[in-house]
Each structure stands twice: as structure tokens, then as C-alpha cells.
């Protein structure tokens, strides 16, 4: 009995992540990125940050080179042109897996994802394999300042994604999330197909199908005040079809 207690307490200690990487994809975020990085880094000393910039015409990439030169907790990947959110995250995941980060987080550059939630993610991941920041926890909407049409689209997209794929989460399309390294190692990143908001559904779906433990924490999502949204109709169309493909691959056991 004594031994069991001792071994489980050692196991619990081992689950506290020691290094975490926050990945932030950017396209034209020069008004936000410097302040975002500063606000992220003060949240927890274990956190480093990796920005994946897609050749932003507004000079975000040049600004990043300056910041990286001043702070060894900050890193950047430059890609030649706008190649999409999904492949930006995949590039970031690979970068993290080549290093010793125990935990990897995703977040947007535009302050819609408030960095004050980061310590809550790091706490929640101690007892989960993946943590999702949820705007619709228990059906309660915690979104501020979004146009009503955008909110309805997002809410309905979540109901639809849950109905088609069976993924048992409140917010499947959100982009504020946290993975244990083991989840990213278990998912074959070469086979992830989505590139827009469907990317978020696909990653969570693949983790769920591998029986990883998913937790959700409520977050307050605030619409951006600086810069503009890169949301497009083709991103919505991709998500509409992708959930059916996920279901199909899952039925055939090829996911
Ligand atoms: N690297 C990269 N980042 C992108 C791309 N599209 C969007 N982003 C970034 O992804 C995050 C979310 O995009 P955003 O336009 O705010 O989407 P919205 O919040 O859904 O309107 C922001 O940090 C964007 O700068 C892309 O093609 N490549
Ligand atoms: Mg945004």
C-alpha cells in the first residue's frame, strides 16, 4: 500500500511539464506581435515562443528577426509566402519535436487568445494529453465583440462538426490549445490534410481516435482590435467537407 502511494505520487510529479513551446502563426501581424510575445513570456518561465511567419508583406518577419536577436526564448520560422494555417502549425510541431519541449501550445497573434489563460493550460495538461480552450463550454458562449453572423457561423460549425464526426468536445474549431509531446509524436503529421479551421478539428479528431485524454477549459475569446482577419470562404468550404472525410477515414480505419 505504502509502495503504491509512493509510486503514484512520483508519477504525478513526472506529469508536470518542464518546457513548453507556444507556436504563433502570423500573416501581417506587425501591430500585435511584439506586445503579444512580451505578454506570453511573462506568464510562465517554462514558456518559449515560436512564430511561423509566411513572408508577411507588412514586415512582421523583419520585426521578428529583431526580437529573436534580443531574446533567446523567442524563435522564428520564415516561410516564403502565405501557405496556410495548418502547414504553419505542422512546421512548428516538427520544430518542437526536434527539441525537448514536453508541451506544445497553439495560439493566434491577434490577442483573441488572451495569454493570461496560458498558466491554466499548463495546469490542465498535467491531467490530460490535450487541452482545448473552449468558447462554448457547456453551451455558454464566451465570445466578445464578434459580429453576430461570425458568431452564428462558428457556433453552428461546432454543432455540425460534433454531429458528423462524433468528436465529444464543445469547441472543435478553436485555435487556442495545448498538446503533450506524445500526442504530436503519435499523429502522423505527414497525413494531416486540412489547412484552415478544419485543421483544428482534424488534429483533435486524430488525437481522440488514438484514445488520448482531451480536456477543455473555458476561455474568453475577444475579437481583434489591430490588423485584419484572414478568414475566407474557401476555409469554411474546406471545413464543411473535411468532417465527412474524417468520418469516412475513421470508418475505414485509415485515420
Ligand atoms: N503563417 C500563417 N499564419 C496565418 C495564416 N492565415 C492566418 N494566420 C494567422 O493565424 C491566426 C488566426 O488568423 P485570423 O486572421 O486572426 O483568423 P480569425 O481570428 O479566425 O479571424 C493569426 O495569428 C494570423 O496571423 C497563414 O496562411 N499563414
Ligand atoms: Mg483572429
Amino acid at each position: 500500500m505504502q509502495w503504491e502511494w509512493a509510486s503514484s505520487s512520483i508519477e504525478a510529479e513526472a506529469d508536470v511539464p518542464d518546457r513548453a513551446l507556444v507556436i504563433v502563426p502570423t500573416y501581417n501581424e506587425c501591430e500585435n506581435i511584439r506586445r503579444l510575445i512580451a505578454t506570453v513570456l511573462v506568464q510562465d518561465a517554462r514558456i518559449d515562443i515560436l512564430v511561423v511567419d509566411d513572408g508577411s508583406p507588412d514586415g512582421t518577419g523583419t520585426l521578428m528577426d529583431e526580437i529573436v536577436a534580443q531574446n533567446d526564448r523567442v524563435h522564428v520560422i520564415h516561410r516564403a509566402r502565405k501557405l496556410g494555417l495548418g502547414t504553419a502549425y505542422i512546421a512548428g510541431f516538427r520544430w518542437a519535436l526536434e527539441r525537448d519541449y514536453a508541451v506544445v501550445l497553439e495560439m493566434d497573434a491577434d490577442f483573441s487568445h488572451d495569454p493570461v489563460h496560458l498558466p491554466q493550460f499548463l495546469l490542465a495538461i498535467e491531467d490530460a494529453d490535450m487541452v482545448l480552450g473552449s468558447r462554448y463550454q457547456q453551451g455558454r458562449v464566451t465570445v466578445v465583440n464578434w459580429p453576430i453572423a461570425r458568431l452564428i457561423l462558428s457556433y453552428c460549425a461546432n454543432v455540425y462538426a460534433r454531429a458528423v464526426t462524433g468528436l465529444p468536445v464543445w469547441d472543435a474549431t478553436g485555435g487556442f490549445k495545448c498538446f503533450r509531446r506524445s500526442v504530436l509524436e503519435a499523429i502522423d503529421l505527414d497525413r494531416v490534410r486540412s489547412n484552415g479551421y478544419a485543421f483544428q478539428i482534424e488534429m483533435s479528431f486524430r488525437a481522440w481516435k488514438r484514445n488520448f485524454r482531451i480536456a477543455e477549459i473555458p476561455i474568453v475569446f475577444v475579437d481583434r482590435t489591430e490588423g485584419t482577419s484572414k478568414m475566407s470562404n474557401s476555409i469554411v468550404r474546406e471545413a464543411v467537407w473535411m468532417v465527412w472525410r474524417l468520418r469516412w477515414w475513421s470508418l475505414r480505419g485509415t485515420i
Side-chain angles (χ1 to χ4, degrees), residues 24-29 52-54 79 82-85 88 107-110 112 146 150 197 221 224 228-231:
V24 181
T26 55
Y27 190 74
N28 289 346
E29 300 288 358
V52 184
D53 183 65
D54 276 5
R79 303 198 306 170
K82 192 173 188 308
L83 294 168
L85 195 70
M107 77 184 285
D108 292 353
D110 58 1
S112 286
W146 248 5
R150 179 82 202 259
Y197 300 129
F221 180 100
R224 64 162 76 231
T228 52
S229 169
K230 286 94 208 171
M231 159 93 167

Side-chain angles (χ1 to χ4, degrees), residues 228-247:
T228 52
S229 169
K230 286 94 208 171
M231 159 93 167
S232 69
N233 288 342
S234 68
I235 283 175
V236 176
R237 276 198 301 275
E238 181 197 46
V240 169
W241 290 113
M242 187 52 73
V243 288
W244 289 102
R245 295 174 82 177
L246 292 175
R247 181 174 169 155

